[in-house]
Amino acid sequence: MIDLHVHSNASDGSLTPSEVADEALRMNVSAIALTDHDTISGIPEIMEYTKDKPLTVIPGIELSCYYKNREIHILGYYIDYQNEELANELTKLKDARNTRNIQMVEKMQADGLPVTMEKLLHGNPNSVITRAHFARVLVEEGVCKNKDVAFKKYIGIGCKYYLPKTQVTCEHAMRILTTYCKTAYLAHPLLYHLGYNQIEELLTYLKSLGLKGIEAYHSSNNMYESDKLRSIAKKMNLSISGGSDFHGVVKPNIKIGIGRGTMYVPDTLLTTLLHT
């Protein structure tokens, strides 16, 4: 059993990279890809921690970009995480995101909401802050009863405290991924609220930029949906991957390896990943 999409507290997960590895081992997962949002800062820790453990770790990333004003995510596998030029590229993206986050904090504080950058970072100064961090703080401070309420009333698109991120183009994201990763796959295609024909249009566009596959298995998919995505991948000569999108307590109903309980990513996809 493998899981090619997991997060640590280097971005918006709740576990350290080492704890993610321990959880994978506890769940009898043989291989994982650490794919934090827009950062590789957790990879050195997990690679060092697992070097003598029975767990294969694929260094990865989940880059955010925009397609027709819609945010999408692209997974990069076998990323060259020790490359200084890559680190500089990601620092630029992080700096743009931080500017947005500071402005959101200021808007909240002006209305008396108990949100600070210190609370968002939660003891991890290198963490890439996402809206999930804001949701966590709003719940912890008793402003919202759960993260869904936080998104619906405070930080969702169109809400008072929402500010858009700097829009990274697909071209920019794919240039980074094709330069510094072995291969790139579109993450969770069904979460973008596109029809299947529109997904094919998106894939055609991304394939022209170097995309090699799609994430056909995901915690949010049912069996029919995964089969449909596999069919699209075959039609378009794309490879497939799969992962839980594990975040720890941030998404408590999602477990490494099995998602919401029924997900299964075939081990053979690891071999496919190596040869795409």
Side-chain angles (χ1 to χ4, degrees):
M1 184 166 60
I2 64 175
D3 192 333
L4 302 176
H5 187 165
V6 303
H7 294 273
S8 75
N9 68 350
S11 62
D12 57 347
S14 63
L15 302 183
T16 67
S18 298
E19 290 169 339
V20 168
D22 285 339
E23 182 64 12
L25 290 166
R26 189 184 73 81
M27 294 294 293
N28 295 315
V29 173
S30 61
I32 62 171
L34 184 64
T35 53
D36 279 311
H37 292 286
D38 303 329
T39 184
I40 52 175
S41 65
I43 294 176
E45 177 185 332
I46 197 169
M47 299 303 284
E48 175 65 22
Y49 185 71
T50 58
K51 64 183 182 181
D52 296 320
K53 292 181 170 57
L55 178 68
T56 298
V57 177
I58 299 153
I61 194 168
E62 185 175 10
L63 271 188
S64 304
C65 57
Y66 282 80
Y67 170 75
K68 296 182 178 180
N69 291 318
R70 188 186 304 266
E71 184 175 335
I72 66 170
H73 296 166
I74 306 175
L75 295 161
Y77 294 117
Y78 295 102
I79 194 165
D80 185 7
Y81 64 94
Q82 295 176 316
N83 189 294
E84 291 186 8
E85 292 180 356
L86 170 62
N88 291 334
E89 290 270 13
L90 296 179
T91 295
K92 293 175 184 177
L93 297 182
K94 183 177 179 180
D95 288 345
R97 186 191 286 265
N98 283 345
T99 298
R100 189 277 298 256
N101 291 334
I102 291 170
Q103 291 172 343
M104 286 180 63
V105 168
E106 290 173 346
K107 284 172 67 72
M108 290 180 170
Q109 290 180 345
D111 286 346
L113 294 175
V115 178
T116 66
M117 287 301 298
E118 182 180 11
K119 292 175 182 177
L120 292 171
L121 289 168
H122 200 56
N124 184 1
N126 294 318
S127 181
V128 172
I129 300 299
T130 69
R131 282 184 292 156
H133 292 79
F134 283 88
R136 172 183 55 77
V137 172
L138 289 170
V139 172
E140 290 176 349
E141 295 296 322
V143 177
C144 302
K145 65 178 182 180
N146 57 50
K147 67 182 183 67
D148 290 335
V149 172
F151 273 89
K152 288 177 181 177
K153 292 189 175 182
Y154 290 86
I155 56 175
I157 295 174
C159 293
K160 181 176 182 180
Y161 303 105
Y162 170 81
L163 290 174
K165 293 185 294 187
T166 300
Q167 291 202 6
V168 177
T169 65
C170 292
E171 291 90 342
H172 187 181
M174 285 300 299
R175 181 184 62 78
I176 292 173
L177 294 172
T178 56
T179 301
Y180 301 106
C181 297
K182 179 178 176 58
T183 189
Y185 286 51
L186 178 65
H188 41 60
L190 298 180
L191 293 188
Y192 309 127
H193 306 293
L194 298 170
Y196 286 113
N197 288 338
Q198 292 174 305
I199 289 174
E200 289 191 33
E201 291 175 6
L202 169 59
L203 289 170
T204 298
Y205 169 58
L206 293 177
K207 189 176 178 181
S208 73
L209 301 176
L211 190 82
K212 297 299 183 182
I214 64 174
E215 188 175 49
Y217 301 99
H218 186 265
S219 295
S220 63
N221 296 356
N222 59 37
M223 186 179 298
Y224 169 81
E225 291 167 336
S226 291
D227 286 346
K228 181 66 176 179
L229 291 173
R230 289 168 60 198
S231 176
I232 289 173
K234 183 176 181 180
K235 172 184 175 182
M236 301 187 68
N237 195 29
L238 291 167
S239 298
I240 60 173
S241 70
S244 63
D245 208 354
F246 173 79
H247 282 71
V249 299
V250 177
K251 296 181 180 180
N253 59 333
I254 293 177
K255 308 296 184 184
I256 288 183
I258 60 172
R260 290 185 169 90
T262 58
M263 190 195 76
Y264 175 78
V265 181
D267 292 17
T268 54
L269 295 190
L270 189 59
T271 302
T272 302
L273 198 64
L274 281 166
H275 293 94
T276 54

